[in-house]
Amino acid sequence: MVHYSSEVRLRLRTNVLVPLWKQNAAAVAGQDCMIWDYHVILLYSKSGSVLVYDFDTTLAFPCDVQTYWTETFHPELNLDESYQRYFRVISGSNYLQHFSSDRRHMLEANGNHKSPPPSWSPIYDPGIPANSNLFGQFELKRVFTTSSPSRNIKQFCIDLAKRNLISASHPSSLSNNDFKTLSTLPDVVYAGFDPTAESLHIGHLLILTNLFRATSHGCKAIALIGGATARVGDPSGHVTDRMVVPGYEIEQHIRKINSQLVRLHSNFTEGNIQLSKHLSIVNNSEWHLKMSSIEFLELCRDFRLGDMLRLGMVKSRMRGGSGLSCSEFLYQIFQSYDWYRLSCDFNCHFQIGGNDQLGHFDAGYDYIKKKTGKLSAGICLPLLTDAQGRKLSKTSKESSNIWLDEKKTSPFTFYQYFRQKPDSAIIPMLRYFSLRSIEEVEEIERKHQANLGKWIAQEKLAEELTQLVHGSTGLKTAKQCSEILFYGSFSELQKMSSSFIEKQFGDASVQRLSRSSFSTMGELASEVHIGEGSSISKMKAGALKLNGTRFRDPDEVIDFDKICLGGKNITLVCWGKRKYHLVRWID
């Protein structure tokens, strides 16, 4: 007969913590595992089999040792060092001869029990000093060892660092010693996308390209669609409450975004069967919409109000005067539970997101550690901003023109967004977005710097991302349209049919207007204006061209014969040097 005592001693702390699964106390508390200060079990060997007697197990009593071992200790898990299990093996004879306890350690200072004592009598022998340090006479042995180090997720993060893509992380010390901490994490990465609009935009594309790149390093990737959290609203980056999106619209958005994710991943893998298996698309409605309000409130017990109020996004909203709705305040709980579910269902303990998500990473990290004792980590990527330094989002003016849906942003406009980036911006963007290896990216940088003015980096990135988002057909269309506008002549353009020209621009870059709505060039300029600032001021400065002809006088009466291209019902509009779109006259 063998007696086990399992203990864990935390460095610099006197208390001990032992996470065990399949415990009655955990079931009563609504938890997956129970954190004990110590736990005592009995192993009994008979006829070649070993049985475990654990008075708190939800497994069979007694239970065969193999089942108990795997179900109670989960040796396959990579726990934080502070939760590693150690064992003292004490023979039955030694235990019975030397152990005695009057349970005084279970009493408060006033003599009352801290919690109800066991129903059975204590093992107490008046001839043996009570609560003697029997366990101290036997060596502590660590049985579980960390599994083989993870190389894939570590290499992925080293690659992120080389690309200057790490804006923040949780824990903040994650990058120390070449991301040594990540050696204990599974090679699974996730990123979340709330379907509050019918399409993803280039801000999401930055997250997606890095999620895809993780699979190139051998990691499994999860794209989590926030079908439930879209109904709540993420307060990050917003000074007022988000607009409420009706449920039926969210369902439509989910279908469209799911299709986008599938299409982009298909373009990325291009028949590579191995890579194609590395992306899973999951919807958090699968668990949130099945949860009752009482179950959610029970879940909330694990979150402290003080911790939630300390989140930066909460404090900024409270200071701003607009306040924060209860639903948006609770968003951090929803997202924390998402990460917890992914850790349970997919063994995912690592996520990436924008740097406005750091507070959510913090909350999720704490929740997973509290529930499972396991370590997690997250890296925040830089946020894309417009010329004024504002976050590109679904509601910002610039990104609203750069969607991943060709019906909202044509392949031509998408291609030109990257093709027209100045040299000062394109090198960081090349590192951020490109799916090429960092060595290939650095080679493009060298060629670009040696040939300034030839737009080498711009063309490489524009081609790569247009291929990723719109496929080979979309890239071909974008390049054809660019060739016509920037390297052809208007006389050649006039020879082409209206339908052909419109096809090159795509529906998203064709504006349909009625002639009867305008009488002066100023009125037309205001309607076809692109960008910020005053359309009239920009027009007077010579920024507006129609079919290649500059118009400066806002009071000039419109001559439609003059502004229609080659007698067709279309007008080519250009603001500045390269911002083109098409007007289709419907009468």
Side-chain angles (χ1 to χ4, degrees):
M1 184 169 63
V2 180
H3 177 274
Y4 270 106
S5 171
S6 60
E7 295 182 341
V8 173
R9 280 192 167 84
L10 296 180
R11 292 184 296 273
L12 305 179
R13 295 174 64 179
T14 58
N15 60 306
V16 290
L17 299 175
V18 184
L20 299 181
W21 282 258
K22 301 297 182 182
Q23 299 285 287
N24 279 308
V28 171
Q31 301 173 175
D32 290 329
C33 73
M34 192 66 191
I35 308 295
W36 294 110
D37 54 354
Y38 73 94
H39 199 61
V40 179
I41 60 176
L42 176 74
L43 270 69
Y44 178 62
S45 178
K46 181 180 180 180
S47 302
S49 63
V50 179
L51 298 176
V52 179
Y53 291 78
D54 179 353
F55 284 107
D56 199 64
T57 187
T58 60
L59 300 172
F61 184 87
C63 182
D64 70 276
V65 69
Q66 185 61 46
T67 300
Y68 185 87
W69 188 264
T70 56
E71 294 291 320
T72 304
F73 296 114
H74 283 286
E76 81 283 0
L77 297 178
N78 295 312
L79 298 183
D80 184 90
E81 181 65 28
S82 59
Y83 289 98
Q84 293 298 334
R85 279 70 57 87
Y86 291 78
F87 295 82
R88 282 193 174 97
V89 182
I90 305 172
S91 69
S93 58
N94 274 324
Y95 183 77
L96 293 174
Q97 183 179 355
H98 298 290
F99 181 79
S100 177
S101 173
D102 57 9
R103 292 180 178 165
R104 70 180 66 173
H105 64 287
M106 302 178 68
L107 301 177
E108 301 280 6
N110 59 10
N112 295 327
H113 280 96
K114 297 177 182 177
S115 59
S119 58
W120 55 89
S121 301
I123 302 174
Y124 179 63
D125 185 339
I128 302 174
N131 306 299
S132 61
N133 188 19
L134 169 66
F135 295 159
Q137 303 173 29
F138 296 86
E139 181 185 0
L140 265 176
K141 294 183 179 180
R142 177 171 174 172
V143 177
F144 300 108
T145 58
T146 304
S147 60
S148 58
S150 162
R151 298 183 59 85
N152 298 333
I153 201 166
K154 178 179 176 180
Q155 290 303 316
F156 168 58
C157 291
I158 290 173
D159 182 57
L160 291 179
K162 290 179 179 178
R163 295 171 185 268
N164 300 320
L165 270 166
I166 301 179
S167 177
S169 69
H170 190 86
S172 58
S173 60
L174 193 63
S175 61
N176 291 356
N177 299 318
D178 285 335
F179 300 95
K180 182 180 179 181
T181 307
L182 295 178
S183 296
T184 63
L185 295 189
D187 290 322
V188 188
V189 183
Y190 104 88
F193 307 90
D194 279 354
T196 52
E198 61 182 348
S199 171
L200 302 175
H201 56 70
I202 58 169
H204 297 117
L205 184 60
L206 177 61
I207 305 296
L208 275 173
T209 52
N210 284 281
L211 196 62
F212 291 167
R213 198 184 303 114
T215 66
S216 297
H217 286 277
C219 299
K220 294 181 179 179
I222 301 171
L224 181 68
I225 298 178
T229 42
R231 300 167 186 259
V232 178
D234 184 357
S236 303
H238 285 251
V239 296
T240 58
D241 284 1
R242 287 177 178 265
M243 292 182 60
V244 176
V245 182
Y248 71 90
E249 287 189 17
I250 290 176
E251 292 303 316
Q252 293 173 353
H253 297 169
I254 290 171
R255 289 191 290 271
K256 291 181 179 180
I257 289 175
N258 189 86
S259 297
Q260 281 185 338
L261 292 171
V262 170
R263 185 185 76 243
L264 265 68
H265 189 247
S266 176
N267 290 339
F268 164 62
T269 58
E270 288 187 319
N272 187 321
I273 297 176
Q274 184 176 3
L275 282 179
S276 66
K277 295 179 180 179
H278 284 182
L279 177 70
S280 300
I281 301 175
V282 183
N283 186 342
N284 65 13
S285 294
E286 294 177 14
W287 47 81
H288 283 305
L289 297 189
K290 296 176 182 178
M291 187 184 299
S292 70
S293 57
I294 297 300
E295 289 172 328
F296 177 73
L297 289 175
E298 290 175 343
L299 185 159
C300 291
R301 290 180 181 273
D302 290 310
F303 295 84
R304 310 310 297 171
L305 190 60
D307 294 334
M308 296 174 70
L309 287 169
R310 279 193 289 271
L311 259 66
M313 58 188 170
V314 173
K315 291 193 291 186
S316 63
R317 285 283 289 273
M318 299 301 288
R319 285 196 302 263
S322 61
L324 187 68
S325 68
C326 181
S327 61
E328 289 197 348
F329 178 65
L330 295 176
Y331 184 90
Q332 55 189 289
I333 296 181
F334 283 90
Q335 187 162 321
S336 296
Y337 187 72
D338 285 344
W339 198 359
Y340 166 72
R341 282 299 300 261
L342 293 177
S343 72
C344 295
D345 298 346
F346 294 89
N347 204 21
C348 178
H349 289 265
F350 188 84
Q351 71 166 305
I352 58 174
N355 68 7
D356 58 348
Q357 297 296 303
L358 185 60
H360 294 321
F361 285 12
D362 189 0
Y365 172 95
D366 289 341
Y367 182 61
I368 291 174
K369 189 171 183 180
K370 182 174 185 178
K371 295 291 286 184
T372 70
K374 292 184 283 187
L375 180 69
S376 299
I379 283 181
C380 297
L381 309 181
L383 291 176
L384 293 184
T385 58
D386 59 19
Q388 284 69 43
R390 295 170 300 196
K391 172 187 173 182
L392 294 185
S393 65
K394 303 178 187 73
T395 56
S396 66
K397 291 184 178 180
E398 184 172 350
S399 69
S400 65
N401 294 322
I402 312 298
W403 299 88
L404 308 190
D405 183 346
E406 65 177 6
K407 293 181 180 180
K408 296 173 71 67
T409 297
S410 70
F412 162 72
T413 303
F414 182 89
Y415 176 88
Q416 285 298 322
Y417 176 83
F418 294 96
R419 177 61 179 77
Q420 295 180 26
K421 286 296 176 183
D423 291 332
S424 60
I426 195 60
I427 296 302
M429 294 190 80
L430 181 67
R431 286 178 172 254
Y432 286 2
F433 281 97
S434 180
L435 292 165
R436 295 179 170 92
S437 69
I438 187 62
E439 291 77 17
E440 292 177 283
V441 168
E442 290 172 344
E443 179 60 26
I444 293 173
E445 289 178 4
R446 285 191 288 269
K447 291 181 179 179
H448 179 85
Q449 296 294 354
N451 297 275
L452 292 176
K454 293 189 176 181
W455 304 81
I456 293 175
Q458 286 91 337
E459 287 188 1
K460 290 288 187 181
L461 187 61
E463 288 179 1
E464 180 183 2
L465 295 183
T466 306
Q467 168 74 35
L468 176 67
V469 175
H470 296 293
S472 56
T473 301
L475 176 59
K476 181 180 178 181
T477 298
K479 296 189 74 171
Q480 283 179 339
C481 191
S482 300
E483 188 73 23
I484 292 170
L485 292 176
F486 301 120
Y487 302 105
S489 65
F490 280 97
S491 60
E492 293 175 352
L493 196 61
Q494 290 174 350
K495 298 175 184 177
M496 300 175 184
S497 67
S498 298
S499 59
F500 178 82
I501 296 173
E502 288 185 48
K503 183 179 179 180
Q504 303 310 303
F505 277 90
D507 288 343
S509 293
V510 177
Q511 190 175 10
R512 288 166 174 77
L513 301 176
S514 172
R515 301 185 191 210
S516 59
S517 300
F518 309 96
S519 58
T520 67
M521 294 302 300
E523 293 171 347
L524 178 60
S526 297
E527 185 65 28
V528 301
H529 180 235
I530 295 176
E532 299 185 358
S534 167
S535 60
I536 300 301
S537 298
K538 291 163 72 173
M539 180 183 181
K540 289 180 178 180
L544 175 64
K545 289 185 290 184
L546 303 179
N547 303 331
T549 301
R550 203 176 302 276
F551 290 85
R552 297 175 181 271
D553 183 5
D555 296 322
E556 180 181 347
V557 177
I558 296 177
D559 181 350
F560 284 98
D561 291 334
K562 184 178 179 181
I563 68 169
C564 286
L565 183 66
K568 305 176 182 67
N569 282 334
I570 56 174
T571 299
L572 186 63
V573 179
C574 179
W575 285 97
K577 294 182 178 180
R578 306 176 74 88
K579 294 187 180 297
Y580 282 96
H581 75 281
L582 203 65
V583 169
R584 170 74 177 183
W585 300 104
I586 59 176
D587 56 8

